[in-house]
Amino acid sequence: MSSHEEIKAPLIQKQSRASGSVEPENPTGIENSQIEQVALTVPISDDPSLPSFTFRTWILGSLACVLLSFLNQFFWYRREPLTVTSISAQIAVVPLGHLMASTLTERVFFKGRKWEFTLNPGPFNVKEHVLITIFANSGAGNVYAIHLNLTFLVALVVVLTTQVIGFGWAGLFRQYLVEPAAMWWPQNLVQVSLFRALHEKEERPKGGLTRNQFFLIAFICSFAYYVFPGYLFPMLTSFSWICWIFPTSVIAQQLGSGLHGLGIGALGFDWSSVSSYLGSPLASPWFATANIAAGFALFMYVIYPLAYWLNIYKAKTFPIFSDGLFTSTGQSYNVSAIIDPNFHIDIEAYDRKGPLYISTFFSISYGVNFACLAATVVHVFLFHGSEIWQLSKSALQEKKMDVHTKLMRKYKQVPQWWFMCILLVNIVATIFACQYYNDQLQLPWWGILLACSLALFFTLPVGVITATTNQTPSLNVITEYIIGYLYPGYPVANVCFKVYGNISMKQGITFLQDFKLGHYMKIPPRAMFMAQVVGAILTAFVHLGTAWWLMDSIPNICDRELLPAGSPWTCPSDHVFYDASVIWGLIGPRRIFGDLGYYSAINWFFLAGAIAPFLVWLAHKASPDKHWIGLITMPVLLGATRDMPPATAVNYTSWILIGFASGFIAYRYYRDWWSRHNYVLSGALDAGLAFMGVMLYLCLGMEHLSLNWWGSDSDGCPLASCPTAQGIVVKGCPIL
């Protein structure tokens, strides 16, 4: 096979034998998916007689949802946020499901009546298992809206509406993002592989291991190993060896620090640092990994170093890598001094104190977000526009369906009006909440409608990128930018607008990904819908309750100046969240990125992002025989560093190396091993890390038992955050 046939381009392709395409291997002669990774992983059979939404599903699904919501909110505030994925629950519920199947009564209640049911419909089956995992998926993320400083009741309303409004967007775009085979959602293949390993009986190959045996070995190794980076030797999180060679050099530590610098040579021997922000590299298709690697190298090792050493935007006055807010002399900006009692900006105080500055890296990261967003819209229009139009015209026609869509036609579909009712009810409830609690939320009614319009517009293009590359562009910055211009000086309103514009869209993408998982595993759509709705509501209550409890029980949580040295409760994402509310909401984009601002040139990134996909499209049309050109995905390449900060260089360097080993070397040269074990390995690493991470905290963290030695420092580069401009005085840094 040639290289372009091994990796499917992120396009909806019409394949034919004449064009040189190779059909996925199918010894049974039955049709299969046109995406090879899907054909190698997803079964093409179904047993409609298997019960799915059972008593076991309700109990174990609700339990998994509650536990994952609690754990993910609990670990969200840590320096390296530990994400307990639904894979952990996927594994943990298996023995519980079999235990319930062997112990619960098989008695049928209300036999012969409409409400007939039984607690035990037979052996624990894969469809029950999938629905339990869908419940767990609801708790596997983080509820963004809890970061607002609101009363509990108002916060609950915001969280609930944000969580559930995404159903409307998901319902509108199911036919575009779930049914087409080209929308293959790579992350789902990890869970499909694990379901098969846990439920299918498999003959052990000669000299090899079954998938179940391989999973158990990898899980035990991951579980045992995490005690080193998680407790005994935290420096494994970022192995920045250049800092050891040059312990007194600011420039060397800026170059070598994996957490506070450019991360040259830095590696993370810790699965949490590898997968914290970009997800599992084992689930990323190679063309997407290559795009991220190219984008990371371009911005981190070309554009940004040039900007820093040319002192653009006073770069040398500030840390080389920081999400902080500064004065012109490199000192921390006292935001409290420019806020009036109503949490609005005091213009006179702001003029007295002087303009706010951010690190050059932080300003470029905003530009990267601008470029990524513009590139997403243009890329999807150019590369997917005609296919989306064809899907729109054939919405009511059952044609060009792949094998999985045909199998799903056996089940009752979810009526469109269910989604529309949820969408309209939530929009009305949100408008009412913003009007009634305007003293807390600050956002006017028209802001809600505008935020929903943005979410509606971007769900399809962002969904296409996610479904084909496993990377999700964000609306964070553009939502902040728009409301910051239209309604400046109101930071809470800015954050609320971002929540309803960006987070509701991300929730819609999450629901669509779950729909595709159910699509692959042949779960009745109405059962899927019920599991998602109940899971979303449970998640809202548990996340919010956990956050409130943590704020009350951990002294000085998130306050880096008052926390004890080495404390993990530094809240990196919340610091970025707070800084963004000050930049975009309190001071406003006009005074920072507009005609009154110091960083107005950053707006040119919008134009650069819009032009870049067009150049790729022209090159692809001019040289259609060069298939690698079609694999250049500008939204992914330009948005490679969109998570920095809070993501750091070591998160990327380690992720890219493992992605190369899996997506290129193993996929190309060890295809049999890759097809059997790649996704199973990803699930095992996630699960082992999660279980050991929880155990370490419960057994040692809650008892405040810690080690203090050389290896306890997570980076070992104390000078990496020092400025290099002459005469700048910062505590702990040499004066140049």
Side-chain angles (χ1 to χ4, degrees):
M1 245 191 246
S2 63
S3 61
H4 71 270
E5 291 164 350
E6 295 176 29
I7 306 169
K8 299 297 180 186
L11 310 173
I12 303 176
Q13 301 177 359
K14 298 177 180 67
Q15 294 190 339
S16 66
R17 297 184 185 278
S19 66
S21 298
V22 177
E23 296 292 328
E25 186 178 342
N26 186 4
T28 63
I30 302 173
E31 66 173 306
N32 208 326
S33 173
Q34 68 185 40
I35 304 298
E36 185 167 6
Q37 290 91 332
V38 176
L40 290 169
T41 307
V42 181
I44 53 173
S45 58
D46 180 32
D47 182 359
S49 67
L50 289 177
S52 55
F53 216 85
T54 65
F55 176 75
R56 293 188 293 247
T57 302
W58 273 105
I59 298 300
L60 296 179
S62 300
L63 178 63
C65 180
V66 168
L67 283 177
L68 259 67
S69 298
F70 170 77
L71 292 172
N72 279 296
Q73 190 58 49
F74 185 86
F75 288 111
W76 174 253
Y77 299 106
R78 295 168 66 91
R79 182 178 54 247
E80 291 288 343
L82 175 61
T83 301
V84 185
T85 67
S86 58
I87 288 174
S88 304
Q90 187 177 355
I91 296 157
V93 299
V94 173
L96 295 176
H98 289 300
L99 178 65
M100 293 179 77
S102 63
T103 57
L104 288 178
T105 177
E106 296 181 4
R107 177 186 170 189
V108 178
F109 296 89
F110 305 109
K111 192 170 184 178
R113 300 182 185 178
K114 182 179 180 180
W115 301 105
E116 176 181 314
F117 77 95
T118 177
L119 301 180
N120 190 352
F124 182 61
N125 68 72
V126 67
K127 293 196 176 186
E128 291 175 289
H129 197 182
V130 173
L131 278 176
I132 292 167
T133 305
I134 297 299
F135 265 106
N137 271 342
S138 300
N142 181 262
V143 179
Y144 200 76
I146 65 168
H147 310 300
L148 293 166
N149 186 22
L150 308 171
T151 61
F152 187 86
L153 178 60
V154 178
L156 180 62
V157 172
V158 174
V159 169
L160 274 173
T161 51
T162 307
Q163 286 292 98
V164 180
I165 204 170
F167 277 114
W169 314 136
L172 284 173
F173 297 108
R174 284 179 301 165
Q175 93 179 57
Y176 304 100
L177 296 172
V178 176
E179 294 184 1
M183 302 295 110
W184 58 289
W185 300 86
Q187 180 63 36
N188 280 336
L189 301 187
V190 176
Q191 291 186 306
V192 172
S193 293
L194 196 48
F195 283 125
R196 298 189 69 179
L198 295 172
H199 287 273
E200 293 181 5
K201 292 183 179 179
E202 183 183 7
E203 290 289 334
R204 178 175 177 174
K206 187 175 181 180
L209 299 169
T210 66
R211 282 176 293 190
N212 210 353
Q213 291 169 332
F214 180 84
F215 171 81
L216 287 173
I217 293 172
F219 170 78
I220 292 170
C221 291
S222 174
F223 178 81
Y225 174 77
Y226 187 66
V227 73
F228 293 99
Y231 184 72
L232 297 175
F233 195 7
M235 190 174 280
L236 291 172
T237 295
S238 178
F239 219 65
S240 306
W241 54 271
I242 290 179
C243 298
W244 311 343
I245 301 174
F246 303 100
T248 60
S249 171
V250 173
I251 293 177
Q253 295 198 19
Q254 286 179 332
L255 293 173
S257 173
L259 297 181
H260 306 290
L262 301 185
I264 295 175
L267 292 174
F269 297 94
D270 172 4
W271 187 246
S272 70
S273 73
V274 173
S275 60
S276 286
Y277 295 98
L278 293 168
S280 171
L282 303 179
S284 178
W286 168 239
F287 79 86
T289 304
N291 276 277
I292 289 173
F296 173 74
L298 175 66
F299 284 99
M300 202 68 175
Y301 300 133
V302 179
I303 294 176
Y304 183 58
L306 283 174
Y308 186 84
W309 276 285
L310 291 174
N311 205 28
I312 295 174
Y313 295 136
K314 299 183 179 180
K316 296 182 180 181
T317 303
F318 314 113
I320 192 169
F321 181 90
S322 172
D323 59 3
L325 308 177
F326 302 98
T327 65
S328 60
T329 59
Q331 309 304 308
S332 293
Y333 199 94
N334 182 12
V335 176
S336 301
I338 62 170
I339 299 176
D340 68 15
N342 296 318
F343 204 55
H344 300 162
I345 187 171
D346 184 335
I347 297 297
E348 293 182 0
Y350 179 73
D351 290 338
R352 286 194 304 270
K353 189 167 183 62
L356 177 146
Y357 291 84
I358 56 179
S359 71
T360 302
F361 188 93
F362 204 10
S363 66
I364 290 179
S365 74
Y366 278 127
V368 163
N369 274 276
F370 297 165
C372 177
L373 192 66
T376 297
V377 176
V378 176
H379 173 90
V380 171
F381 174 76
L382 292 174
F383 286 93
H384 299 269
S386 60
E387 288 82 3
I388 290 172
W389 176 245
Q390 290 300 322
L391 284 169
S392 299
K393 291 198 298 183
S394 62
L396 302 177
Q397 302 175 27
E398 297 185 6
K399 62 180 183 180
K400 296 182 181 177
M401 294 186 294
D402 76 337
V403 60
H404 303 292
T405 302
K406 290 177 182 177
L407 289 170
M408 288 299 291
R409 288 292 191 236
K410 299 175 183 176
Y411 300 101
K412 273 189 174 182
Q413 300 301 305
V414 180
Q416 192 69 13
W417 68 266
W418 288 15
F419 293 102
M420 293 301 97
C421 284
I422 286 178
L423 179 62
L424 293 175
V425 167
N426 275 275
I427 290 175
V428 170
T430 303
I431 292 174
F432 172 79
C434 284
Q435 291 296 105
Y436 192 79
Y437 298 108
N438 192 256
D439 58 324
Q440 294 186 58
L441 298 176
Q442 300 181 346
L443 188 64
W445 62 269
W446 55 263
I448 295 298
L449 296 180
L450 180 58
C452 290
S453 299
L454 282 172
L456 175 64
F457 177 78
F458 280 103
T459 297
L460 181 57
V462 170
V464 169
I465 299 300
T466 307
T468 55
T469 70
N470 208 39
Q471 299 299 319
T472 306
S474 173
L475 302 187
N476 255 359
V477 174
I478 193 62
T479 50
E480 294 166 330
Y481 200 116
I482 290 172
I483 196 64
Y485 253 109
L486 296 177
Y487 203 54
Y490 294 88
V492 178
N494 190 283
V495 174
C496 281
F497 185 85
K498 176 169 63 172
V499 164
Y500 285 106
N502 178 43
I503 304 305
S504 71
M505 180 211 69
K506 290 184 73 174
Q507 283 297 114
I509 298 295
T510 299
F511 293 138
L512 286 162
Q513 181 167 317
D514 285 345
F515 275 133
K516 190 68 175 189
L517 178 61
H519 189 81
Y520 282 150
M521 299 305 296
K522 317 303 177 295
I523 306 300
R526 295 192 177 195
M528 283 282 302
F529 179 87
M530 184 64 69
Q532 288 177 308
V533 171
V534 175
I537 294 172
L538 279 175
T539 292
F541 281 95
V542 178
H543 271 287
L544 192 61
T546 305
W548 243 251
W549 170 65
L550 286 172
M551 291 296 174
D552 288 338
S553 61
I554 298 178
N556 303 315
I557 186 172
C558 301
D559 192 331
R560 295 173 181 175
E561 294 183 1
L562 298 178
L563 284 168
S567 172
W569 303 104
T570 56
C571 312
S573 295
D574 278 30
H575 275 272
V576 175
F577 185 95
Y578 172 77
D579 293 345
S581 72
V582 173
I583 293 169
W584 301 101
L586 185 66
I587 298 174
R590 189 182 178 195
R591 291 187 179 88
I592 297 180
F593 294 102
D595 57 324
L596 303 179
Y598 187 56
Y599 302 95
S600 58
I602 294 295
N603 291 291
W604 287 104
F605 277 84
F606 279 116
L607 181 61
I611 292 174
F614 186 68
L615 297 178
V616 175
W617 182 77
L618 287 178
H620 183 59
K621 292 294 182 183
S623 304
D625 56 318
K626 296 180 179 178
H627 299 276
W628 62 269
I629 295 176
L631 297 173
I632 300 174
T633 311
M634 276 297 170
V636 177
L637 191 151
L638 294 176
T641 57
R642 69 182 184 277
D643 290 320
M644 301 176 73
T648 58
V650 73
N651 299 128
Y652 281 78
T653 55
S654 306
W655 188 91
I656 290 166
L657 288 174
I658 294 176
F660 172 74
S662 166
F664 184 81
I665 296 177
Y667 184 79
R668 172 173 286 195
Y669 300 110
Y670 304 95
R671 183 72 59 87
D672 289 341
W673 183 94
W674 185 95
S675 64
R676 290 174 59 82
H677 299 311
N678 180 70
Y679 294 125
V680 175
L681 176 61
S682 178
L685 292 172
D686 284 346
L689 162 68
F691 284 117
M692 177 55 80
V694 173
M695 180 179 291
L696 286 174
Y697 181 79
L698 294 178
C699 298
L700 301 171
M702 292 186 71
E703 300 298 324
H704 305 289
L705 298 175
S706 60
L707 299 177
N708 187 16
W709 67 293
W710 170 76
S712 298
D713 190 333
S714 57
D715 194 38
C717 303
L719 303 181
S721 296
C722 291
T724 55
Q726 293 186 356
I728 300 298
V729 180
V730 175
K731 184 180 179 181
C733 294
I735 300 176
L736 302 179

